[in-house]
Amino acid sequence: MPIIIKSKREIEMMRRSGYIAAQILKKMHAAVRPGVTTGELNQIAKIELQKVGAVGMSKNYPTYKPGEGYPAETCISVNEEIVHGIPGPRRLKDGDVVTLDITPMIDGYVADTAITVPVGDISAESQKLLDVTKEALDLAISLIKPGKLWSEIARLVQYTIEKNGFSVVREFVGHGVGKRMHEDPKVPNFVTAEQLRSDFKLRPGMTLAVEPMVVVGDREVLQLEDAWTIISADRSMAAHFEHTIAVTETGVDVLTDGRMPTGL
């Protein structure tokens, strides 16, 4: 499929979804504490989505038929869970880290964002993991500009993560986003010969979900029996930060940073 270039108005429509996502993440983050369940955190998102007439694009993914697919409005992943953790009765404990991942759609446009946050007091190693993963995302965003090959950015993201002793998850990568949650291209956080064959040049109007996923230990992953939750195979801590961005004529515009849309 070709990469879809968005108009300025479409980008503002996506920013509206991004604004909703940022506000919901803020409320979910504020509710994170020892004793709260992941299901209760998802319920916050569900209520907030309903208030503004938005839809959580994780719910019933990929068919979007009632009763099928992924069962919740958000993905909430704890500790060794990297992505696609299913919210439910699990109670957070002091020392946990929890990833909050939300993808709202409103008026036909989608934005995708995630943060990993501490629960109470966490270890120095876990804090470093969170800091390095966010640093990797911030680095990627700072380097985005028209004409640059994505591999140039991915190589530096991978270097930043690995020089700190952590591993980049390779089975899951960023992606184009817009009218659908997943569009072309794939947006990896590492460089391999295979990835270089599908490398792409950044162009104004591209909208991408950039999302480094990092583990303390080995990069190998496993899927749990729920058919969704992905964990580190060695059960080491994981972190995941994500923003939806638009490539502009001169650089980059972050659409999930909480700024209000204009010109709609």
Side-chain angles (χ1 to χ4, degrees):
M1 294 287 290
I3 297 171
I4 301 169
I5 300 298
K6 312 302 190 302
S7 69
K8 289 182 179 178
R9 186 175 190 281
E10 287 179 305
I11 288 169
E12 290 307 308
M13 295 290 284
M14 290 179 65
R15 194 192 312 279
R16 185 179 175 202
S17 296
Y19 174 78
I20 290 165
Q23 297 308 305
I24 293 173
L25 274 191
K26 192 180 297 183
K27 290 190 176 183
M28 294 173 74
H29 186 182
V32 168
R33 64 183 185 280
V36 74
T37 70
T38 55
E40 288 167 342
L41 295 175
N42 184 75
Q43 185 65 15
I44 292 170
K46 182 177 180 178
I47 291 168
E48 295 301 317
L49 288 165
Q50 289 172 344
K51 281 182 183 177
V52 295
V55 176
M57 294 303 288
S58 297
K59 180 76 170 180
N60 303 128
Y61 177 86
T63 66
Y64 295 113
K65 294 179 180 178
E68 293 186 1
Y70 185 81
E73 288 75 14
T74 66
C75 297
I76 301 181
S77 307
V78 183
N79 295 342
E80 75 277 6
E81 297 172 354
I82 302 165
V83 285
H84 307 159
I86 299 173
R90 180 172 183 169
R91 292 192 181 278
L92 299 179
K93 306 188 308 294
D94 191 68
D96 287 345
V97 302
V98 57
T99 298
L100 312 171
D101 188 351
I102 187 165
T103 311
M105 172 188 274
I106 190 163
D107 294 335
Y109 288 89
V110 179
D112 197 355
T113 186
I115 55 174
T116 304
V117 300
V119 182
D121 295 320
I122 63 172
S123 70
E125 181 180 62
S126 294
Q127 187 61 58
K128 182 182 177 184
L129 172 68
L130 270 56
D131 293 343
V132 168
T133 308
K134 186 176 186 304
E135 177 189 345
L137 174 60
D138 291 344
L139 173 66
I141 291 170
S142 74
L143 295 171
I144 291 172
K145 63 180 181 180
K148 184 168 282 192
L149 288 169
W150 181 257
S151 60
E152 298 176 64
I153 297 170
R155 194 181 303 279
L156 289 170
V157 168
Q158 181 178 2
Y159 173 76
T160 296
I161 293 163
E162 292 179 350
K163 78 174 181 181
N164 281 284
F166 300 138
S167 299
V168 183
V169 173
R170 297 194 181 185
E171 284 76 9
F172 298 88
V173 297
H175 50 88
V177 61
K179 287 192 172 182
R180 293 181 291 118
M181 181 162 61
H182 295 125
E183 297 179 352
D184 283 335
K186 292 182 178 179
V187 184
N189 306 295
F190 55 91
V191 176
T192 63
E194 181 183 358
Q195 290 291 347
L196 286 173
R197 285 194 288 273
S198 58
D199 202 6
F200 61 94
K201 189 171 287 189
L202 293 166
R203 290 183 287 151
M206 282 183 176
T207 49
L208 309 173
V210 182
E211 50 178 326
M213 301 173 200
V214 181
V215 292
V216 168
D218 189 84
R219 68 177 179 83
E220 298 302 321
V221 304
L222 295 173
Q223 186 177 65
L224 297 186
E225 290 181 1
D226 62 20
W228 287 105
T229 308
I230 303 299
I231 67 167
S232 56
D234 61 7
R235 272 57 174 184
S236 63
M237 284 284 193
H240 171 205
F241 283 81
E242 176 180 21
H243 270 308
T244 294
I245 64 91
V247 183
T248 69
E249 297 289 343
T250 56
V252 64
D253 186 0
V254 180
L255 305 181
T256 47
D257 64 0
R259 284 177 295 143
M260 289 283 286
T262 60
L264 293 182

